Amino acid sequence: ELQFPERLNCATELLDRWVEAGQGDRLCIQGEGLRWTYADLQAQANAMAHVLVQDLGLVPGNRVLLRGANTPYLAACWFAIQKAGGIAVATMPLLRCGELVQVIQKAEVSHALCDERLIAELRSAQAKCPTLRQVLLFHSEASDGLEARAANKPGTFRNVDTGAEDCSLIAFTSGTTGKPKGTMHFHRDVMAICRCWPPHVLKPLPEDVFIGSPPLAFTFGLGGLLLFPMTVGASTVLLEKASPEALLAAIETYRATICFTAPTSYRVMSPQLGGHDVSCLRRCVSAGEALPAATRALWKAASGIELIDGIGATELLHIFISHEAERAKPGATGVPVPGYRAVVLDDAGYVLPAGQVGRLAVKGPTGCRYLADDRQQAYVLNGWNLTGDAYCVDVDGYFIYQARTDDMIISGGYNIAGPEVEACLLLHPSVAECGVVGQADEARGQIVKAFVVLRAGEVASDALVQALQDFVKAHLAPYKYPRVIEFCATLPRTETGKLQRFRLRENGP
Ligand code: 3UK
């Protein structure tokens, strides 16, 4: 059981603590040519907190929209909000006006801090958002921008004495269907994720240099690229653009040691590793979607590093099933992270024995609290979080991912998990990326359809279709083979690297 004091502010714990301990000179954040120590970040956040309180009239409990690509300034804004007792509502940089309106209305946002380069969509949203009283630009040279205002403010600030159960952030799910859901997380939740997965699984050192692609608006990025390095006094590199190519180059430039990104990014980086010196890397973390065994093998062969897989969810804030690098099992996500329990349930809610596929249920120090949303009842049952994933447990207690429960393909009475067929196709030397979905079929209800991106130099042909079908039949139960294969140049993915199966089902690639 994790214990927290009744009063707790995550900015005090993660940021101020280091300065108070005489470690303010340690390197904390790099990016955009900046190199901030812990003391630098603290001074920035303190001055910004004064701006929030004095100039914008922020009071504890106000919800503050944050909008920007990953930069040191965005991180300083995040901590300024925590210091002032506000609630951070970070948004993905690519969100459009309509999506911003939904977030602002749902979270009753009163203040916004927005990177000047992303202001256009927010300005159009503002007209439809009466709760939004104050919008301040950061990363800006404007005379009334955040930097200009912060320049006249003191570098010290007395953090608001927040309660451990006061809300620290509202994270929105990247939901592919329905309206976006806001998930509330308390200051103690922020500290809880820092005490579970990092010390037991990642085991970072104070010398580590973290890097990666997920936006800080995605809790995978917030934890991996900001909270976790600061838990041990390590440093982080925030990249505004983190395409696989840019990430690879940055790993080399910054001599990064711990990398966070999605499986697809490891697949794209693997063949390009030869052109870079990435001997600095010691840990690589994959999350966001299932890690196929072929991708684990590809990255290991290219870099020598065993990927650490982990399943997390916005509802649970961070990773709850994972494995230490030394305990990797190809095809398995891992075991419950210390602090969490996980079981696989049948439809009636009974725990299933090893080998049987059912619904994943998770319980731990963090959990789902949807903001004013009746979908809460469906996600949490008797304290167990139902993530919407189909899993089975093997005889060693490892959790094996199958599919999102609503992505299971039912063909001719068989249940088929698309990701299993994808993992198989990825073992074929011609395949770079693939997505497998169900296609409506009169005779079978659904049939298995694969969208395949070929590796450089490979050519699409009927013979290759046949070869891929035979390949699947030889590795998996033959009824799982894709009856239709369509070749394409790219697959539709979210900003977080997730395959958008609904788009494949509806419109194809
Ligand atoms: C899927 C995975 C298999 C799974 C996230 C790490 O992805 C994160 O949060 P989201 O709310 O999505 C949650 C859903 O994504 N998923 C994520 N990781 C894996 N499936 N293997 C994995 N390793 O369907 C899950 O229910 O966007 C990931 C940390 C924080 C996060 N928020």
Side-chain angles (χ1 to χ4, degrees), residues 13-28:
E13 302 299 313
L14 291 166
L15 174 54
D16 300 337
R17 176 163 83 91
W18 295 104
V19 181
E20 261 149 52
Q23 306 270 306
D25 290 343
R26 298 188 69 86
L27 179 61
C28 183

Side-chain angles (χ1 to χ4, degrees), residues 225-437:
L225 299 178
L226 192 62
L227 310 176
F228 299 164
M230 294 181 67
T231 304
V232 294
S235 73
T236 188
V237 179
L238 295 179
L239 303 171
E240 285 194 77
K241 294 202 177 72
S243 64
E245 293 74 18
L247 179 55
L248 200 49
I251 292 170
E252 184 173 19
T253 307
Y254 291 93
R255 307 305 297 157
T257 62
I258 300 186
C259 176
F260 288 79
T261 190
T264 176
S265 171
Y266 287 111
R267 283 193 289 274
V268 177
M269 286 194 290
S270 288
Q272 301 175 26
L273 267 187
H276 297 270
D277 173 12
V278 296
S279 56
C280 45
L281 274 181
R282 71 178 195 97
R283 296 248 194 277
C284 295
V285 181
S286 168
E289 66 174 13
L291 176 66
T295 305
R296 177 182 285 291
L298 193 67
W299 185 253
K300 177 111 190 242
S303 72
I305 295 177
E306 192 73 66
L307 283 170
I308 297 176
D309 190 7
I311 177 173
T314 306
E315 285 84 350
L316 282 124
L317 197 52
H318 220 267
I319 293 173
F320 46 85
I321 295 175
S322 185
H323 60 85
E324 292 161 65
E326 305 74 30
R327 302 241 159 83
K329 189 167 185 174
T333 313
V335 297
V337 169
Y340 289 87
R341 289 159 66 199
V343 287
V344 174
L345 305 176
D346 68 13
D347 286 339
Y350 291 102
V351 176
L352 283 167
Q356 293 202 33
V357 175
R359 304 199 290 167
L360 181 68
V362 183
K363 197 180 259 200
T366 58
C368 178
R369 282 180 222 105
Y370 285 135
L371 174 65
D373 200 305
D374 58 15
R375 286 170 287 189
Q376 177 77 15
Q377 273 70 23
Y379 201 97
V380 185
L381 237 131
N382 302 323
W384 290 91
N385 292 270
L386 301 169
T387 64
D389 295 293
Y391 259 89
C392 76
V393 184
D394 72 7
V395 286
D396 300 324
Y398 275 75
F399 283 69
I400 320 258
Y401 179 79
Q402 309 293 313
R404 296 285 307 167
T405 41
D406 42 17
D407 283 338
M408 289 293 281
I409 302 164
I410 304 175
S411 180
Y414 289 109
N415 272 312
I416 300 166
E420 186 186 20
V421 182
E422 289 162 13
C424 179
L425 285 167
L426 281 171
L427 292 166
H428 191 280
S430 303
V431 177
E433 289 284 318
C434 63
V436 170
V437 296

Side-chain angles (χ1 to χ4, degrees), residues 75-130:
C77 289
W78 194 87
F79 277 108
I81 295 167
Q82 302 302 325
K83 284 171 163 280
I87 300 172
V89 186
T91 54
M92 300 293 249
L94 291 182
L95 290 198
R96 297 290 193 173
C97 168
E99 297 155 310
L100 287 171
V101 169
Q102 287 188 343
V103 167
I104 293 166
Q105 290 183 349
K106 186 88 209 177
E108 300 181 68
V109 167
S110 55
H111 299 71
L113 300 178
C114 181
D115 188 312
E116 189 170 58
R117 297 161 294 178
L118 292 176
I119 188 62
E121 299 286 330
L122 183 60
R123 284 273 180 251
S124 356
Q126 232 179 324
K128 291 187 189 128
C129 298

Side-chain angles (χ1 to χ4, degrees), residues 437 449 451 486 488 490-492 500-509:
V437 296
K449 174 168 186 184
F451 293 90
E486 185 175 325
C488 48
T490 55
L491 292 174
Q500 294 177 307
R501 292 169 200 286
F502 73 101
R503 284 179 60 189
L504 280 184
R505 279 191 293 258
E506 283 162 16
N507 329 310

Side-chain angles (χ1 to χ4, degrees), residues 430 454-462 464-465 487:
S430 303
L454 292 173
R455 285 202 185 170
E458 300 287 335
V459 185
S461 67
D462 288 346
L464 185 52
V465 168
F487 296 106

